[in-house]
Each structure stands twice: as structure tokens, then as C-alpha cells.
Amino acid sequence: MNKIVNKVHFSANVVKFEIEAPLIARSRKAGHFVIVRTGEKGERIPLTIASADPERGTITLVIQAVGKSTRKLCALEVGDFITDVVGPLGQATHIEKFGTVVCCGGGVGVAPLLPIVEAMKKAGNRVITVLAARTKELIILEEQMRAFSDEVIIMTDDGSYGEKGLVTNGVEKVILREKVDLCVTIGPAVMMKFVSLLTRKYNLPTIASLNTIMVDGTGMCGACRVTVGGKTRFVCVDGPEFDAHQVDFDEMLMRLSSYKGIE
């Protein structure tokens, strides 16, 4: 049982929880995720760790209410307990001094991007962060991103905040004005696909986090299998991060839409 010690609403459907998990807080690295479960018969939900405070013994998770299980989770309040929090899981992000790194996130994908931005900055990189959402109200963690970024570019579909346009517009703007050594992208699969297509055009190495397709989180269910470089990989144990230019995003998008009718 893990106690919720803080709760913040980013929007009507997006919640940030700070949860007591001292062992995970001490051992997690950028890119790691946890599996949470609410109730003894609750669904297992994989969530990337947005941040951790080893001194307080807490981790931070950002959750979007999109289905029954996530709505139940988001309805919990400070003082309530999450039945299970298992982790850290997955492969940590490869961090080194690359030079200039563009980190771009869309929607709640900004949450798992935050620890990567922080780690890349602490490794001595120049970090340019591009945050994208449909409207101003859906931009999250901007203040925290600014603390570890040399520059933050905001893109909104409707132009209500920052610049009007897609995340790819913001990324290309940076590529055209200066040398970029690495791009990291996290967000909806379709967003990562088009970021990958853009960066491939400029021969810019790109890492994509495919956490949106995970289910079980242990490699047992096989639901998170993806084709990377022509070979089958399991996101939860081999990833969640892969060379974006090697990922078959069309196959991934097709599989993500398989149960839309039922949902």
C-alpha cells in the first residue's frame, strides 16, 4: 500500500500524484516506469515516473483519466492508498553529453519527458524543450521544464499560448537555426511518428518512448510488442525507448486502434 501525499489537478482529466515509495524513489532513473493497481482486482496500469524525491521518499506520477481504471485512480485523494506500486521497471534512458538535445513532448507525454530533460541538462547538454498541446490549458509542467532547459518552446494547435502549430513546427524551427545532436520525443504515437519522419529528413538521431502501448509491464502478456528494425521487441522489457527511425509506427498505430470499437 502506497499513500498519496499530494494531489494537483492539471486539468479536468489530468492529475499529478505524489506517492510514498521510498525504495523506488532512491533507485529510479530517467526513463523508468512503475505498475500501479487500485483494488485487489484492479487493472495493472504502467506509468512513467515523472520525478522522485529520495529524501522525502516519494515519486511523482501524472495520470490522465481515459478509462474506468484511470478514472478510479484519479478519483483518489490525499491520504488514500494505492494498492500496489511496483518498480522501477524498464530500461533507463541512455544519458551522456551529446551536445544540443531537443526534447519534445505532447500532452501527458510531457510528464515522462521531465526526468530526461533534467538528466540531459545535468550531463552537460544544451537542452531545448518543445511542449505541445491542443490548447493552453493542456500544457503541463512548464515551470519544471524551464528549470532544466536552456530554452522552452510552446506550441498549441489553436494558438492560445506560445506559437500556433504542431510540435513538429517547433522542432524544425530549432533544426533550421542550429546544429542539433539528438532528439527525444514522447507523446501520442501519431505525434512521435511525424517527429520521426521530420528528423529522419535531417538525419538527426531520435529516441522515442513507446510507453503508450504497454499493458502488463513485465513482458508476459505480449501486448506491447512492436517492430523495431524489422525485429519484434517488447516495450516494457526492451524499452520503453527505441531508435525512432527504426520503429514501425504504422503497425503500432494499427494495433493501438484495434479495440477502439469496444472502448
Side-chain angles (χ1 to χ4, degrees):
M1 301 285 279
N2 299 77
K3 187 177 181 180
I4 298 170
V5 297
N6 191 29
K7 179 181 181 181
V8 175
H9 281 275
F10 283 142
S11 67
N13 294 316
V14 180
V15 174
K16 181 180 79 170
F17 281 131
E18 186 179 2
I19 300 164
E20 289 182 346
L23 294 178
I24 298 174
R26 289 200 297 269
S27 58
R28 72 95 204 188
K29 295 180 180 178
H32 281 151
F33 67 94
V34 293
I35 293 288
V36 304
R37 190 168 64 105
T38 304
E40 290 300 323
K41 296 183 179 180
E43 180 183 9
R44 294 165 57 87
I45 305 171
L47 297 167
T48 307
I49 303 168
S51 64
D53 187 332
E55 292 185 2
R56 283 171 53 85
T58 61
I59 60 172
T60 298
L61 305 175
V62 176
I63 305 151
Q64 183 175 21
V66 293
K68 180 179 178 180
S69 296
T70 47
R71 285 197 299 270
K72 182 179 179 181
L73 184 58
C74 288
L76 297 175
E77 300 293 344
V78 173
D80 289 337
F81 289 84
I82 296 176
T83 308
D84 294 316
V85 179
V86 179
L89 300 170
Q91 303 297 319
T93 306
H94 174 68
I95 302 293
E96 65 174 84
K97 188 174 181 180
F98 295 97
T100 297
V101 180
V102 171
C103 297
C104 58
V108 291
V110 171
L113 190 66
L114 177 59
I116 297 174
V117 168
E118 179 180 354
M120 287 292 184
K121 183 60 182 174
K122 289 181 177 179
N125 293 286
R126 168 171 162 78
V127 179
I128 302 170
T129 302
V130 182
L131 306 180
R134 294 193 306 274
T135 66
K136 178 181 179 180
E137 290 72 27
L138 297 178
I139 294 289
I140 65 172
L141 298 172
E142 179 186 352
E143 182 180 343
Q144 292 90 332
M145 286 293 190
R146 290 191 183 278
F148 299 107
S149 304
D150 293 276
E151 180 184 358
V152 174
I153 297 171
I154 307 291
M155 305 297 301
T156 51
D157 293 358
D158 61 1
S160 56
Y161 189 46
E163 302 176 38
K164 184 176 182 178
L166 303 174
V167 67
T168 47
N169 299 126
V171 173
E172 189 166 33
K173 172 183 175 181
V174 178
I175 293 173
L176 290 174
R177 79 178 189 208
E178 63 184 277
K179 181 181 183 298
V180 177
D181 300 286
L182 178 70
C183 177
V184 180
T185 181
I186 307 181
V190 68
M191 183 207 90
M192 294 188 289
K193 172 186 174 179
F194 282 102
V195 169
S196 176
L197 289 173
L198 171 69
T199 58
R200 180 182 293 174
K201 184 174 71 172
Y202 291 102
N203 198 29
L204 172 60
T206 302
I207 300 300
S209 179
L210 310 185
N211 50 33
T212 56
I213 202 172
M214 291 192 296
V215 179
D216 178 76
T218 64
M220 297 288 286
C221 71
C224 70
R225 64 188 183 278
V226 292
T227 301
V228 182
K231 298 180 179 180
T232 299
R233 293 287 183 263
F234 292 89
V235 174
C236 63
V237 292
D238 298 319
E241 296 166 10
F242 298 93
D243 179 344
H245 298 162
Q246 297 295 315
V247 175
D248 187 337
F249 280 106
D250 290 331
E251 178 191 61
M252 179 179 171
L253 285 163
M254 181 176 66
R255 293 188 58 244
L256 282 169
S257 64
S258 298
Y259 296 98
K260 273 192 174 179
I262 299 172
E263 290 171 353

